[in-house]
Amino acid sequence: MRGLLLLSGMLVALAFALTPPHRAHAASGIGVTPVLLEMPVAKGVGSLRIDNGRFVPAAFEVEAYRWTQEDGRDVLTRTRDLVAAPSVFEVGPAQRQIIRLALATHVRSATTAHAFRLIVRELPAAARSGNGPTILLEFSVPVFPVTQDAAARFVARDLGQGRVALINTGNAYARLLEVGPAGASMAGVPRYMLPGASVVRPFNAFHGGLRLVTSGPGGMDIHEQVIPVASALLAGDPVLRGR
């Protein structure tokens, strides 16, 4: 199977967007810390914390997915390049569980950047019971292996017919806040732009440059720039071959 498309409008993603940057609490009292994880490649290890604020136990499974993008769509594929332990566990009332994470050796030595998503799913057996419907939680946590010199770099290409391609040629991700003229719609533009990814959209009013506003984790380090729009594809744009 090619992969699993991540639905950008999922309820958990909305909950993350409305919570503080380093901690997310579900309405039922389950907490995940952090909601975005940067793992230094030099160490290759990290951790995730699950807090159970309920009065009953809660059980979860954790699965790692390789995260890529195709024209702005997030694609998830099961992987063993990121290992989580324990992968299945139960957390008692008012208790917490630490999940240890480790990158595979070939990921740490790779010359290209990687990105992952950890999917934390609540297991039905430990879900709260009662007269109402049972709601099982699912959290999607971005995981980015990073190096000290990692940086996102953007180029823009005019594809004609009002279409512009925005490409991240750097070796780090960026969170997109605005793309195009002030007030332009962000419809179809991904929340994160992964290294090597591209997105093609009908940016009609770029006036020789594409305005781009990005931020770091948690909305910090906001950076605004104008990307010159080249009139044709260049030889160094492999992600746009075949268009």
Side-chain angles (χ1 to χ4, degrees):
M1 184 175 180
R2 185 180 182 184
L4 173 67
L5 289 180
L6 178 64
L7 300 178
S8 61
M10 65 187 299
L11 178 62
V12 171
L14 177 60
F16 283 176
L18 299 177
T19 52
H22 301 297
R23 186 176 179 86
H25 273 286
S28 59
I30 301 298
V32 177
T33 309
V35 298
L36 182 151
L37 179 62
E38 291 187 340
M39 293 180 62
V41 171
K43 294 183 178 179
V45 296
S47 64
L48 190 72
R49 192 179 80 195
I50 308 295
D51 291 280
N52 181 11
R54 298 174 179 171
F55 296 103
V56 295
F60 297 91
E61 66 176 359
V62 181
E63 294 182 335
Y65 289 80
R66 175 74 183 276
W67 180 15
T68 58
Q69 290 178 323
E70 296 181 359
D71 193 22
R73 298 180 305 160
D74 292 329
V75 179
L76 301 183
T77 307
R78 283 290 306 274
T79 183
R80 296 186 62 84
D81 290 346
L82 176 64
V83 178
S87 58
V88 179
F89 54 89
E90 181 176 283
V91 188
Q95 298 297 312
R96 65 179 47 165
Q97 173 69 52
I98 302 298
I99 304 169
R100 305 297 180 184
L101 307 173
L103 294 172
T105 302
H106 71 273
V107 174
R108 297 178 60 188
S109 60
T111 57
T112 57
H114 290 68
F116 302 94
R117 285 261 182 182
L118 278 179
I119 305 298
V120 182
R121 298 187 182 94
E122 185 176 7
L123 298 177
R128 289 183 295 177
S129 60
N131 297 328
T134 297
I135 299 177
L136 298 177
L137 301 178
E138 181 174 303
F139 301 90
S140 178
V141 181
V143 179
F144 298 104
V146 295
T147 59
Q148 289 185 344
D149 61 346
R153 299 180 181 86
F154 291 93
V155 297
R157 305 288 182 249
D158 184 0
L159 303 183
Q161 300 179 340
R163 299 179 307 143
V164 175
L166 177 66
I167 313 166
N168 182 0
T169 62
N171 60 350
Y173 75 97
R175 183 181 180 189
L176 303 185
L177 301 180
E178 294 183 34
V179 179
S185 172
M186 288 284 287
V189 178
R191 182 180 180 185
Y192 295 99
M193 194 81 166
L194 301 182
S198 66
V199 60
V200 177
R201 291 295 177 263
F203 299 120
N204 292 307
F206 52 83
H207 300 297
L210 192 64
R211 180 173 174 270
L212 184 65
V213 181
T214 61
S215 75
M220 305 299 290
D221 302 324
I222 295 178
H223 180 62
E224 179 177 348
Q225 57 186 311
V226 176
I227 309 298
V229 179
S231 59
L233 299 183
L234 304 180
D237 297 335
V239 293
L240 293 176
R241 289 175 183 169
R243 290 190 179 276

